[in-house]
Amino acid sequence: VLVTEATVFDGTTLATLEIGEVIEVSGFADGGGNLRATRIELESESEGYELRGLITELDGDAETFRIGGQVVDYSNAEIANAPPDGLANELYVEVEAQDDPVDGVLAATEVEVQGNDFDGDEGEEVEIEGLVTRVISATEFVLNQTRRVRTDARTEFENGTAADIAVDARLEAEGIVDDDGVLVAREVEF
């Protein structure tokens, strides 16, 4: 988890945060797979762990994978919505666990595969905010590791230009979902 000057703290500060305190962290995945915190809130008690991100370094024999820097053991987890071939690298998942990590490994109780597409169907208006995690071309990029966005000659840019689209740039894109599930941006705001 990376904290920036834009991170908002609720009920704590970075200086007063103590080992063992329960917090909820919200943020965006950056180009390096880190979570850039937008908000850190002190919680009164733990309700377990919830982690979302792309599976990397999947080891089917050991039944482990990584989300960012966190190793997840899914050997005793309920797996939901997985494709027929099972879990795979680059799938976007939500992991739930009840216990603290042991030796840096989080033992999942549930792994749910979630779609990489937008919450919208072809032709629908969609708005998404986040960090650019990959630049595919001069007119296409990925937000938050999962959401493809395409610009064209009609795209309007606020507080920046197409040249400002780079890994880890924070922006908001608004437009229409095309038949490939890609957001065709009408507007991009930095």
Side-chain angles (χ1 to χ4, degrees):
V1 175
L2 301 176
V3 176
T4 69
E5 64 279 348
T7 303
V8 174
F9 288 87
D10 184 0
T12 190
T13 67
L14 190 57
T16 60
L17 196 59
E18 295 182 16
I19 293 174
E21 288 185 312
V22 178
I23 57 172
E24 180 177 332
V25 180
S26 301
F28 300 109
D30 69 13
N34 301 301
L35 179 66
R36 290 198 183 213
T38 55
R39 179 180 175 87
I40 296 177
E41 181 177 355
L42 186 63
E43 297 287 320
S44 58
E45 61 184 57
S46 175
E47 296 177 12
Y49 294 87
E50 184 177 283
L51 181 65
R52 291 186 198 109
L54 288 178
I55 291 177
T56 62
E57 300 180 34
L58 177 71
D59 183 335
D61 293 333
E63 295 185 288
T64 61
F65 58 81
R66 284 186 177 273
I67 294 180
Q70 179 63 61
V71 177
V72 175
D73 176 341
Y74 66 93
S75 60
N76 293 311
E78 177 184 332
I79 310 296
N81 299 329
D85 292 339
L87 297 177
N89 285 320
E90 302 300 314
L91 286 177
Y92 187 78
V93 296
E94 177 179 281
V95 173
E96 292 185 11
Q98 295 304 311
D99 299 322
D100 291 341
V102 175
D103 296 327
V105 179
L106 186 66
T109 54
E110 183 177 344
V111 176
E112 181 180 1
V113 177
Q114 299 184 334
N116 285 353
D117 54 355
F118 291 99
D119 293 330
D121 295 323
E122 177 185 348
E124 285 190 287
E125 178 85 18
V126 172
E127 184 177 310
I128 184 171
E129 178 183 1
L131 295 176
V132 175
T133 50
R134 185 165 46 120
V135 176
I136 298 169
S137 70
T139 60
E140 193 167 327
F141 58 94
V142 177
L143 279 178
N144 303 329
Q145 297 184 333
T146 60
R147 311 299 193 206
R148 285 178 45 213
V149 179
R150 184 176 304 128
T151 61
D152 59 24
R154 296 175 301 237
T155 304
E156 295 179 16
F157 294 90
E158 287 188 29
N159 304 317
T161 69
D164 296 320
I165 296 172
V167 172
D168 294 338
R170 184 170 176 175
L171 55 84
E172 182 177 307
E174 183 178 326
I176 304 293
V177 178
D178 72 6
D179 59 352
D180 291 327
V182 176
L183 174 64
V184 179
R186 182 179 64 251
E187 182 179 310
V188 173
E189 182 177 350
F190 294 85

